[in-house]
Short mmCIF file of all heavy atoms in Angstrom, two decimals:
data_model
loop_
_atom_site.label_atom_id
_atom_site.label_comp_id
_atom_site.label_asym_id
_atom_site.label_seq_id
_atom_site.Cartn_x
_atom_site.Cartn_y
_atom_site.Cartn_z
N SER A 1 93.82 -112.35 58.25
CA SER A 1 93.51 -113.26 57.07
C SER A 1 94.82 -113.52 56.38
O SER A 1 94.98 -114.56 55.61
CB SER A 1 92.61 -112.57 56.11
OG SER A 1 93.22 -111.43 55.46
N ARG A 2 95.89 -112.73 56.65
CA ARG A 2 97.20 -112.92 55.99
C ARG A 2 98.08 -113.81 56.94
O ARG A 2 99.25 -114.08 56.64
CB ARG A 2 97.90 -111.64 55.77
CG ARG A 2 97.11 -110.69 54.87
CD ARG A 2 97.69 -109.30 54.94
NE ARG A 2 97.04 -108.40 54.08
CZ ARG A 2 97.54 -107.52 53.23
NH1 ARG A 2 98.88 -107.38 53.21
NH2 ARG A 2 96.76 -106.68 52.53
N GLY A 3 97.56 -114.13 58.14
CA GLY A 3 98.40 -114.84 59.10
C GLY A 3 99.36 -114.04 59.81
O GLY A 3 100.38 -114.41 60.33
N MET A 4 99.16 -112.63 59.80
CA MET A 4 100.06 -111.72 60.34
C MET A 4 99.58 -111.38 61.75
O MET A 4 98.54 -110.77 61.98
CB MET A 4 100.19 -110.46 59.47
CG MET A 4 101.25 -109.49 60.01
SD MET A 4 101.46 -108.05 58.87
CE MET A 4 102.21 -108.89 57.48
N PRO A 5 100.39 -111.70 62.87
CA PRO A 5 99.97 -111.37 64.21
C PRO A 5 100.04 -109.88 64.41
O PRO A 5 100.80 -109.14 63.75
CB PRO A 5 101.04 -112.10 65.03
CG PRO A 5 102.19 -112.30 64.15
CD PRO A 5 101.63 -112.43 62.80
N TRP A 6 99.41 -109.36 65.48
CA TRP A 6 99.40 -108.04 65.82
C TRP A 6 99.25 -107.86 67.40
O TRP A 6 99.01 -108.87 68.07
CB TRP A 6 98.23 -107.27 65.25
CG TRP A 6 96.89 -107.72 65.84
CD1 TRP A 6 96.25 -108.83 65.56
CD2 TRP A 6 96.12 -106.94 66.81
NE1 TRP A 6 95.02 -108.84 66.27
CE2 TRP A 6 94.84 -107.74 67.06
CE3 TRP A 6 96.31 -105.66 67.40
CZ2 TRP A 6 93.90 -107.21 67.90
CZ3 TRP A 6 95.22 -105.20 68.15
CH2 TRP A 6 94.07 -106.02 68.42
N GLY A 7 99.71 -106.70 67.86
CA GLY A 7 99.74 -106.52 69.24
C GLY A 7 99.68 -105.04 69.64
O GLY A 7 99.54 -104.14 68.74
N VAL A 8 99.58 -104.78 70.90
CA VAL A 8 99.45 -103.44 71.37
C VAL A 8 100.46 -103.08 72.36
O VAL A 8 100.87 -103.90 73.25
CB VAL A 8 98.13 -103.26 72.17
CG1 VAL A 8 98.00 -101.87 72.84
CG2 VAL A 8 96.85 -103.56 71.26
N VAL A 9 101.13 -101.91 72.22
CA VAL A 9 102.18 -101.32 73.16
C VAL A 9 101.68 -99.91 73.48
O VAL A 9 101.73 -99.08 72.70
CB VAL A 9 103.50 -101.36 72.56
CG1 VAL A 9 104.51 -100.79 73.57
CG2 VAL A 9 103.99 -102.70 72.16
N THR A 10 101.22 -99.77 74.71
CA THR A 10 100.65 -98.49 75.15
C THR A 10 101.38 -97.94 76.47
O THR A 10 101.94 -98.79 77.21
CB THR A 10 99.16 -98.65 75.38
OG1 THR A 10 98.70 -97.40 75.93
CG2 THR A 10 98.90 -99.80 76.41
N ASN A 11 101.35 -96.73 76.73
CA ASN A 11 101.84 -96.26 77.96
C ASN A 11 100.73 -96.15 79.02
O ASN A 11 101.01 -95.75 80.15
CB ASN A 11 102.47 -94.72 77.79
CG ASN A 11 103.98 -94.83 77.45
OD1 ASN A 11 104.52 -95.84 77.25
ND2 ASN A 11 104.50 -93.65 77.40
N LYS A 12 99.58 -96.52 78.57
CA LYS A 12 98.50 -96.66 79.57
C LYS A 12 98.76 -97.66 80.66
O LYS A 12 99.26 -98.71 80.35
CB LYS A 12 97.17 -96.96 78.83
CG LYS A 12 95.89 -96.59 79.48
CD LYS A 12 94.75 -97.12 78.54
CE LYS A 12 93.39 -96.47 78.83
NZ LYS A 12 93.33 -95.14 78.17
N SER A 13 98.54 -97.33 81.88
CA SER A 13 98.70 -98.24 82.90
C SER A 13 97.93 -99.46 82.83
O SER A 13 96.78 -99.45 82.31
CB SER A 13 98.40 -97.58 84.29
OG SER A 13 98.41 -98.53 85.41
N SER A 14 98.43 -100.59 83.21
CA SER A 14 97.66 -101.86 83.19
C SER A 14 96.37 -101.80 84.00
O SER A 14 95.43 -102.54 83.80
CB SER A 14 98.60 -103.14 83.64
OG SER A 14 99.00 -102.80 85.07
N ARG A 15 96.31 -100.95 84.97
CA ARG A 15 95.14 -100.67 85.77
C ARG A 15 94.04 -100.31 84.84
O ARG A 15 92.78 -100.58 85.11
CB ARG A 15 95.42 -99.48 86.71
CG ARG A 15 94.23 -98.89 87.49
CD ARG A 15 94.61 -97.79 88.45
NE ARG A 15 93.46 -97.16 89.09
CZ ARG A 15 93.66 -96.14 89.98
NH1 ARG A 15 94.81 -95.61 90.25
NH2 ARG A 15 92.57 -95.65 90.53
N PHE A 16 94.23 -99.64 83.75
CA PHE A 16 93.21 -99.30 82.75
C PHE A 16 93.20 -100.12 81.46
O PHE A 16 92.16 -100.57 80.97
CB PHE A 16 93.31 -97.84 82.45
CG PHE A 16 93.45 -96.97 83.66
CD1 PHE A 16 94.68 -96.35 83.89
CD2 PHE A 16 92.41 -96.78 84.52
CE1 PHE A 16 94.80 -95.48 85.02
CE2 PHE A 16 92.55 -95.96 85.63
CZ PHE A 16 93.81 -95.33 85.86
N THR A 17 94.48 -100.45 81.03
CA THR A 17 94.59 -101.29 79.79
C THR A 17 93.83 -102.59 79.95
O THR A 17 93.12 -103.02 79.01
CB THR A 17 96.02 -101.51 79.46
OG1 THR A 17 96.69 -100.24 79.39
CG2 THR A 17 96.18 -102.26 78.17
N ASP A 18 94.14 -103.33 81.11
CA ASP A 18 93.62 -104.67 81.09
C ASP A 18 92.03 -104.74 81.13
O ASP A 18 91.52 -105.47 80.31
CB ASP A 18 94.11 -105.39 82.42
CG ASP A 18 95.67 -105.62 82.36
OD1 ASP A 18 96.25 -105.47 81.23
OD2 ASP A 18 96.31 -105.99 83.37
N PRO A 19 91.43 -103.98 82.01
CA PRO A 19 89.89 -104.00 81.93
C PRO A 19 89.33 -103.45 80.63
O PRO A 19 88.46 -104.06 80.07
CB PRO A 19 89.49 -103.27 83.12
CG PRO A 19 90.63 -102.40 83.57
CD PRO A 19 91.87 -103.14 83.19
N LEU A 20 89.93 -102.42 80.02
CA LEU A 20 89.48 -101.84 78.87
C LEU A 20 89.54 -102.81 77.70
O LEU A 20 88.60 -103.01 76.91
CB LEU A 20 90.21 -100.55 78.54
CG LEU A 20 89.77 -99.73 77.41
CD1 LEU A 20 90.02 -98.21 77.60
CD2 LEU A 20 90.20 -100.18 76.06
N THR A 21 90.66 -103.42 77.55
CA THR A 21 90.81 -104.40 76.41
C THR A 21 90.03 -105.67 76.64
O THR A 21 89.60 -106.30 75.66
CB THR A 21 92.29 -104.80 76.20
OG1 THR A 21 92.90 -105.30 77.42
CG2 THR A 21 93.08 -103.64 75.72
N ARG A 22 89.78 -106.05 77.92
CA ARG A 22 88.80 -107.18 78.14
C ARG A 22 87.43 -106.83 77.73
O ARG A 22 86.65 -107.66 77.28
CB ARG A 22 88.95 -107.66 79.62
CG ARG A 22 90.11 -108.39 80.03
CD ARG A 22 89.95 -109.07 81.35
NE ARG A 22 89.69 -108.19 82.38
CZ ARG A 22 90.62 -107.72 83.17
NH1 ARG A 22 91.93 -108.10 83.00
NH2 ARG A 22 90.36 -106.90 84.16
N MET A 23 87.07 -105.60 77.86
CA MET A 23 85.65 -105.17 77.64
C MET A 23 85.46 -105.04 76.11
O MET A 23 84.30 -104.89 75.64
CB MET A 23 85.31 -103.88 78.31
CG MET A 23 85.05 -104.06 79.83
SD MET A 23 84.52 -102.59 80.62
CE MET A 23 86.01 -101.59 80.79
N MET A 24 86.51 -104.91 75.26
CA MET A 24 86.37 -104.72 73.82
C MET A 24 86.87 -105.92 73.04
O MET A 24 87.95 -106.36 73.07
CB MET A 24 87.18 -103.45 73.43
CG MET A 24 86.76 -102.17 74.22
SD MET A 24 87.69 -100.72 73.75
CE MET A 24 86.75 -100.18 72.19
N PRO A 25 85.90 -106.59 72.41
CA PRO A 25 86.14 -107.92 71.71
C PRO A 25 87.37 -107.81 70.73
O PRO A 25 88.00 -108.83 70.54
CB PRO A 25 84.82 -108.21 70.99
CG PRO A 25 83.82 -107.59 71.77
CD PRO A 25 84.47 -106.23 72.34
N LEU A 26 87.61 -106.67 70.15
CA LEU A 26 88.66 -106.54 69.20
C LEU A 26 89.98 -107.04 69.71
O LEU A 26 90.68 -107.70 68.94
CB LEU A 26 88.86 -105.04 68.93
CG LEU A 26 90.12 -104.64 68.05
CD1 LEU A 26 89.98 -105.11 66.63
CD2 LEU A 26 90.48 -103.15 68.10
N PHE A 27 90.29 -106.93 70.93
CA PHE A 27 91.56 -107.30 71.51
C PHE A 27 91.76 -108.66 71.87
O PHE A 27 92.86 -109.10 72.27
CB PHE A 27 91.85 -106.33 72.72
CG PHE A 27 91.90 -104.93 72.35
CD1 PHE A 27 90.78 -104.14 72.54
CD2 PHE A 27 92.99 -104.35 71.75
CE1 PHE A 27 90.79 -102.81 72.18
CE2 PHE A 27 93.01 -103.09 71.36
CZ PHE A 27 91.92 -102.22 71.58
N ALA A 28 90.80 -109.52 71.71
CA ALA A 28 90.87 -110.94 72.05
C ALA A 28 91.86 -111.63 71.14
O ALA A 28 92.49 -112.60 71.53
CB ALA A 28 89.53 -111.61 71.90
N SER A 29 92.15 -111.06 69.96
CA SER A 29 93.09 -111.78 69.00
C SER A 29 94.48 -111.15 69.11
O SER A 29 95.32 -111.60 68.31
CB SER A 29 92.54 -111.66 67.58
OG SER A 29 92.45 -110.30 67.21
N ALA A 30 94.70 -110.16 69.97
CA ALA A 30 96.04 -109.54 70.00
C ALA A 30 97.05 -110.60 70.59
O ALA A 30 96.76 -111.27 71.57
CB ALA A 30 96.05 -108.32 70.95
N GLY A 31 98.22 -110.65 69.91
CA GLY A 31 99.24 -111.52 70.29
C GLY A 31 100.02 -111.06 71.50
O GLY A 31 100.65 -111.84 72.31
N ALA A 32 99.90 -109.85 71.80
CA ALA A 32 100.60 -109.19 72.96
C ALA A 32 99.92 -107.84 73.26
O ALA A 32 99.58 -107.22 72.44
CB ALA A 32 102.13 -108.93 72.77
N ILE A 33 99.77 -107.65 74.60
CA ILE A 33 99.28 -106.34 75.09
C ILE A 33 100.21 -105.91 76.16
O ILE A 33 100.22 -106.46 77.27
CB ILE A 33 97.88 -106.40 75.54
CG1 ILE A 33 96.91 -106.83 74.36
CG2 ILE A 33 97.40 -105.08 76.14
CD1 ILE A 33 95.37 -106.89 74.82
N VAL A 34 100.98 -104.87 75.88
CA VAL A 34 102.03 -104.37 76.77
C VAL A 34 101.67 -102.97 77.33
O VAL A 34 101.43 -102.13 76.42
CB VAL A 34 103.36 -104.36 76.17
CG1 VAL A 34 104.37 -103.80 77.12
CG2 VAL A 34 103.90 -105.74 75.73
N SER A 35 101.48 -102.87 78.56
CA SER A 35 101.13 -101.58 79.18
C SER A 35 102.29 -100.78 79.62
O SER A 35 103.55 -101.19 79.55
CB SER A 35 100.22 -101.79 80.35
OG SER A 35 99.04 -102.46 80.00
N GLY A 36 102.09 -99.51 79.96
CA GLY A 36 103.13 -98.62 80.40
C GLY A 36 103.91 -99.06 81.60
O GLY A 36 105.03 -98.59 81.78
N ASP A 37 103.33 -99.85 82.46
CA ASP A 37 103.97 -100.41 83.66
C ASP A 37 104.28 -101.89 83.54
O ASP A 37 104.63 -102.49 84.53
CB ASP A 37 103.14 -100.11 84.87
CG ASP A 37 101.72 -100.62 84.77
OD1 ASP A 37 101.28 -101.08 83.70
OD2 ASP A 37 101.00 -100.52 85.74
N THR A 38 104.19 -102.47 82.36
CA THR A 38 104.55 -103.91 82.18
C THR A 38 105.96 -104.14 82.30
O THR A 38 106.49 -105.15 82.95
CB THR A 38 104.17 -104.35 80.74
OG1 THR A 38 102.71 -104.21 80.64
CG2 THR A 38 104.43 -105.85 80.60
N THR A 39 106.85 -103.26 81.89
CA THR A 39 108.34 -103.30 82.08
C THR A 39 108.76 -102.10 82.88
O THR A 39 107.94 -101.19 83.18
CB THR A 39 109.01 -103.18 80.64
OG1 THR A 39 108.93 -101.88 80.05
CG2 THR A 39 108.26 -104.16 79.63
N PRO A 40 110.00 -102.05 83.31
CA PRO A 40 110.50 -100.90 84.04
C PRO A 40 110.46 -99.63 83.38
O PRO A 40 110.65 -98.57 84.01
CB PRO A 40 111.93 -101.37 84.43
CG PRO A 40 111.96 -102.87 84.28
CD PRO A 40 110.97 -103.12 83.27
N HIS A 41 110.26 -99.68 82.11
CA HIS A 41 110.39 -98.41 81.28
C HIS A 41 109.12 -98.29 80.44
O HIS A 41 108.52 -99.24 79.97
CB HIS A 41 111.59 -98.43 80.39
CG HIS A 41 112.88 -98.61 81.03
ND1 HIS A 41 113.52 -97.60 81.77
CD2 HIS A 41 113.66 -99.74 81.21
CE1 HIS A 41 114.56 -98.12 82.25
NE2 HIS A 41 114.73 -99.34 81.87
N ALA A 42 108.75 -97.03 80.21
CA ALA A 42 107.64 -96.72 79.30
C ALA A 42 108.19 -96.01 78.02
O ALA A 42 109.39 -95.62 78.06
CB ALA A 42 106.59 -95.77 79.92
#
């Protein structure tokens, strides 16, 4: 409501992060979802 974007940075592997966040409507508005294996480092 303030126009402030939000996102997620987790060490959870995308193997789990991606399906879990797709199953939970809350995450549809996230501006970024970064998993533990999205970059070379966690």
Side-chain angles (χ1 to χ4, degrees):
S1 71
R2 301 167 183 223
M4 185 174 289
W6 70 285
V8 175
V9 180
T10 175
N11 271 4
K12 204 181 198 80
S13 167
S14 57
R15 171 180 175 180
F16 310 109
T17 305
D18 292 348
L20 188 151
T21 54
R22 283 196 298 266
M23 287 187 281
M24 303 182 80
L26 171 74
F27 298 98
S29 62
I33 297 179
V34 176
S35 299
D37 54 355
T38 300
T39 74
H41 304 281

